């Protein structure tokens, strides 16, 4: 299966008065057509900036660099603004993090849905409107034709999120980036949105990058998972590899924070990770997690090379951990990818 997106050595630096903020620090990953990559990490780890770097939507002061940033044969690193405008909304689409503010309050839902199709395809307004109504119905919005005349403030958060998904799918993109698409939605709506995304992905054979901090979501939808911490990708592999044999202390700490069905008793304390993410301003030699790691040793202050197992499981740690036995048999973390 072909790679639709290949990223090598991606960096995002932001000059500040106090120094340069190294927000994304040399990450590598690939996404194949029809595959779901989940990017996981706590707030401030660089997940959203990574997606904005791919889309070419970084703030003006941010500086992007990469050894390779290839989308289906297109060099995104050197693509002009005009070339990126041709790609965005057509072959690459993004569902932004906050549905309450991602839609323009001054335009109707119909105007915002049809804009991308009219821009990227040689179709008339009637055809664009029919396509928008079709997608609104596909994402589960009733009375779709009447919704076209409504403004964002007339829709609930769940409906706005569905509109955002429909908007991202208008041109049937090759890659869709979903930046925490279920934020601020209740649990029932979250499950519906995730199931909808997976169904549409299978139908259209799209690649998907799903950014989240919810490992339960990852277990249900991911083919591969990448764990980010302090701007670095500290671990990456298939969802089963990362969940059953986590090789980085940060990944292991995240997994210990999850209640295990059938094992975690009511009222029992869950695991936690002490401390906070360090400042990313200036140089940061060694492992950024060592100040929060119970197993840190002097070698952690030196450069940490990437390690790759025979199966392709990548991680950055001086330790060599085995399976995380306390979680390896958890049914909640062993769901097959694609089960939403």
């Amino acid at each position: 299966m072909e790679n639709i997106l290949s990223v090598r050595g991606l960096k995002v630096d932001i000059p500040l008065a106090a120094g340069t903020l190294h927000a994304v620090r040399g990450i590598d990953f690939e996404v194949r057509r029809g595959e779901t990559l989940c990017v996981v990490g706590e707030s401030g780890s660089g997940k959203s900036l990574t997606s904005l770097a791919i889309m070419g939507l970084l703030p003006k002061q941010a500086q992007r660099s990469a050894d390779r940033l290839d989308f289906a044969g297109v060099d995104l690193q050197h693509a002009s603004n005009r070339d990126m405008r041709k790609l965005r909304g057509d072959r690459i689409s993004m569902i932004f993090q906050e549905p309450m503010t991602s839609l323009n309050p001054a335009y109707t839902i119909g105007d915002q849905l049809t804009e991308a199709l009219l821009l990227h395809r040689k179709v008339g307004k009637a055809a664009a409107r029919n396509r928008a109504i079709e997608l609104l119905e596909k994402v589960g919005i009733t009375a779709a034709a009447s919704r076209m005349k409504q403004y964002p403030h007339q829709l609930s958060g769940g409906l706005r999120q569905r509109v955002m998904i429909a908007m991202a799918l208008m041109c049937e993109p090759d890659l869709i980036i979903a930046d925490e698409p279920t934020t601020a939605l209740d649990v029932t709506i979250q499950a519906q949105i995730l199931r909808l995304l997976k169904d549409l992905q299978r139908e259209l054979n799209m690649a998907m990058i799903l950014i989240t901090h919810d490992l339960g979501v990852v277990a249900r939808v991911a083919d591969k998972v990448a764990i980010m911490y302090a701007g670095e990708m500290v671990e990456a592999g298939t969802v089963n590899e990362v969940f059953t044999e986590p090789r980085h202390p940060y990944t292991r700490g995240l997994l210990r924070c999850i209640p295990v069905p059938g094992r975690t008793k009511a009222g029992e304390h869950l695991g936690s990770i002490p401390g906070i993410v360090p400042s990313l301003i200036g140089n940061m030699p060694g492992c950024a997690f060592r100040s929060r790691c119970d197993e840190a040793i002097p070698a952690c202050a030196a450069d940490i090379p990437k390690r790759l197992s025979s199966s392709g499981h990548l991680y950055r740690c001086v330790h060599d951990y085995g399976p995380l036995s306390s979680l390896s048999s958890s049914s909640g973390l062993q769901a097959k990818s694609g089960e939403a």
Side-chain angles (χ1 to χ4, degrees), residues 158-169:
L159 288 177
R160 292 189 212 184
Q161 189 67 77
R162 291 170 188 267
V163 169
M164 291 294 298
I165 294 173
M167 188 182 300
L169 295 173

PDB file of all heavy atoms in Angstrom, residues 158-169:
ATOM      1  N   GLY A 158     -22.849  19.307  18.496  1.00  0.00           N
ATOM      2  CA  GLY A 158     -22.756  18.051  17.756  1.00  0.00           C
ATOM      3  C   GLY A 158     -23.069  18.227  16.281  1.00  0.00           C
ATOM      4  O   GLY A 158     -22.403  17.637  15.415  1.00  0.00           O
ATOM      5  N   LEU A 159     -24.072  19.061  15.973  1.00  0.00           N
ATOM      6  CA  LEU A 159     -24.416  19.310  14.579  1.00  0.00           C
ATOM      7  C   LEU A 159     -23.317  20.093  13.864  1.00  0.00           C
ATOM      8  O   LEU A 159     -23.001  19.832  12.700  1.00  0.00           O
ATOM      9  CB  LEU A 159     -25.746  20.057  14.484  1.00  0.00           C
ATOM     10  CG  LEU A 159     -27.014  19.252  14.813  1.00  0.00           C
ATOM     11  CD1 LEU A 159     -28.241  20.132  14.748  1.00  0.00           C
ATOM     12  CD2 LEU A 159     -27.148  18.068  13.861  1.00  0.00           C
ATOM     13  N   ARG A 160     -22.720  21.052  14.568  1.00  0.00           N
ATOM     14  CA  ARG A 160     -21.624  21.814  13.953  1.00  0.00           C
ATOM     15  C   ARG A 160     -20.449  20.894  13.629  1.00  0.00           C
ATOM     16  O   ARG A 160     -19.797  21.047  12.592  1.00  0.00           O
ATOM     17  CB  ARG A 160     -21.167  22.929  14.891  1.00  0.00           C
ATOM     18  CG  ARG A 160     -22.182  24.034  15.078  1.00  0.00           C
ATOM     19  CD  ARG A 160     -21.577  25.191  15.844  1.00  0.00           C
ATOM     20  NE  ARG A 160     -22.578  25.866  16.661  1.00  0.00           N
ATOM     21  CZ  ARG A 160     -22.342  26.947  17.372  1.00  0.00           C
ATOM     22  NH1 ARG A 160     -21.132  27.473  17.388  1.00  0.00           N
ATOM     23  NH2 ARG A 160     -23.287  27.509  18.103  1.00  0.00           N
ATOM     24  N   GLN A 161     -20.182  19.951  14.531  1.00  0.00           N
ATOM     25  CA  GLN A 161     -19.081  19.027  14.270  1.00  0.00           C
ATOM     26  C   GLN A 161     -19.370  18.176  13.042  1.00  0.00           C
ATOM     27  O   GLN A 161     -18.485  17.913  12.211  1.00  0.00           O
ATOM     28  CB  GLN A 161     -18.848  18.125  15.490  1.00  0.00           C
ATOM     29  CG  GLN A 161     -17.579  17.287  15.398  1.00  0.00           C
ATOM     30  CD  GLN A 161     -16.332  18.144  15.441  1.00  0.00           C
ATOM     31  OE1 GLN A 161     -15.910  18.613  16.477  1.00  0.00           O
ATOM     32  NE2 GLN A 161     -15.713  18.358  14.283  1.00  0.00           N
ATOM     33  N   ARG A 162     -20.614  17.754  12.885  1.00  0.00           N
ATOM     34  CA  ARG A 162     -20.991  16.975  11.714  1.00  0.00           C
ATOM     35  C   ARG A 162     -20.882  17.812  10.442  1.00  0.00           C
ATOM     36  O   ARG A 162     -20.489  17.305   9.380  1.00  0.00           O
ATOM     37  CB  ARG A 162     -22.410  16.429  11.883  1.00  0.00           C
ATOM     38  CG  ARG A 162     -22.511  15.353  12.951  1.00  0.00           C
ATOM     39  CD  ARG A 162     -23.962  14.994  13.262  1.00  0.00           C
ATOM     40  NE  ARG A 162     -24.051  14.110  14.408  1.00  0.00           N
ATOM     41  CZ  ARG A 162     -24.083  12.777  14.334  1.00  0.00           C
ATOM     42  NH1 ARG A 162     -24.053  12.185  13.154  1.00  0.00           N
ATOM     43  NH2 ARG A 162     -24.156  12.047  15.425  1.00  0.00           N
ATOM     44  N   VAL A 163     -21.229  19.098  10.539  1.00  0.00           N
ATOM     45  CA  VAL A 163     -21.072  19.994   9.393  1.00  0.00           C
ATOM     46  C   VAL A 163     -19.596  20.110   9.015  1.00  0.00           C
ATOM     47  O   VAL A 163     -19.236  20.091   7.828  1.00  0.00           O
ATOM     48  CB  VAL A 163     -21.666  21.386   9.699  1.00  0.00           C
ATOM     49  CG1 VAL A 163     -21.260  22.401   8.630  1.00  0.00           C
ATOM     50  CG2 VAL A 163     -23.181  21.310   9.801  1.00  0.00           C
ATOM     51  N   MET A 164     -18.717  20.211  10.027  1.00  0.00           N
ATOM     52  CA  MET A 164     -17.279  20.292   9.765  1.00  0.00           C
ATOM     53  C   MET A 164     -16.778  19.041   9.045  1.00  0.00           C
ATOM     54  O   MET A 164     -15.932  19.121   8.146  1.00  0.00           O
ATOM     55  CB  MET A 164     -16.507  20.476  11.079  1.00  0.00           C
ATOM     56  CG  MET A 164     -16.700  21.825  11.748  1.00  0.00           C
ATOM     57  SD  MET A 164     -16.021  23.186  10.778  1.00  0.00           S
ATOM     58  CE  MET A 164     -14.292  22.743  10.733  1.00  0.00           C
ATOM     59  N   ILE A 165     -17.291  17.880   9.441  1.00  0.00           N
ATOM     60  CA  ILE A 165     -16.900  16.638   8.778  1.00  0.00           C
ATOM     61  C   ILE A 165     -17.385  16.633   7.332  1.00  0.00           C
ATOM     62  O   ILE A 165     -16.641  16.285   6.408  1.00  0.00           O
ATOM     63  CB  ILE A 165     -17.453  15.422   9.547  1.00  0.00           C
ATOM     64  CG1 ILE A 165     -16.783  15.322  10.917  1.00  0.00           C
ATOM     65  CG2 ILE A 165     -17.237  14.131   8.753  1.00  0.00           C
ATOM     66  CD1 ILE A 165     -17.381  14.263  11.819  1.00  0.00           C
ATOM     67  N   ALA A 166     -18.639  17.039   7.125  1.00  0.00           N
ATOM     68  CA  ALA A 166     -19.181  17.106   5.770  1.00  0.00           C
ATOM     69  C   ALA A 166     -18.365  18.072   4.907  1.00  0.00           C
ATOM     70  O   ALA A 166     -18.068  17.796   3.737  1.00  0.00           O
ATOM     71  CB  ALA A 166     -20.644  17.536   5.814  1.00  0.00           C
ATOM     72  N   MET A 167     -17.977  19.201   5.485  1.00  0.00           N
ATOM     73  CA  MET A 167     -17.179  20.188   4.763  1.00  0.00           C
ATOM     74  C   MET A 167     -15.840  19.607   4.343  1.00  0.00           C
ATOM     75  O   MET A 167     -15.368  19.822   3.216  1.00  0.00           O
ATOM     76  CB  MET A 167     -16.978  21.422   5.644  1.00  0.00           C
ATOM     77  CG  MET A 167     -16.328  22.600   4.930  1.00  0.00           C
ATOM     78  SD  MET A 167     -16.057  23.994   6.049  1.00  0.00           S
ATOM     79  CE  MET A 167     -17.727  24.333   6.564  1.00  0.00           C
ATOM     80  N   ALA A 168     -15.214  18.855   5.239  1.00  0.00           N
ATOM     81  CA  ALA A 168     -13.914  18.261   4.940  1.00  0.00           C
ATOM     82  C   ALA A 168     -14.003  17.204   3.849  1.00  0.00           C
ATOM     83  O   ALA A 168     -13.011  16.927   3.163  1.00  0.00           O
ATOM     84  CB  ALA A 168     -13.320  17.648   6.209  1.00  0.00           C
ATOM     85  N   LEU A 169     -15.192  16.621   3.662  1.00  0.00           N
ATOM     86  CA  LEU A 169     -15.363  15.528   2.704  1.00  0.00           C
ATOM     87  C   LEU A 169     -15.921  15.980   1.361  1.00  0.00           C
ATOM     88  O   LEU A 169     -16.098  15.152   0.463  1.00  0.00           O
ATOM     89  CB  LEU A 169     -16.300  14.471   3.296  1.00  0.00           C
ATOM     90  CG  LEU A 169     -15.792  13.737   4.533  1.00  0.00           C
ATOM     91  CD1 LEU A 169     -16.888  12.857   5.113  1.00  0.00           C
ATOM     92  CD2 LEU A 169     -14.566  12.894   4.203  1.00  0.00           C
TER      93      LEU A 169
END
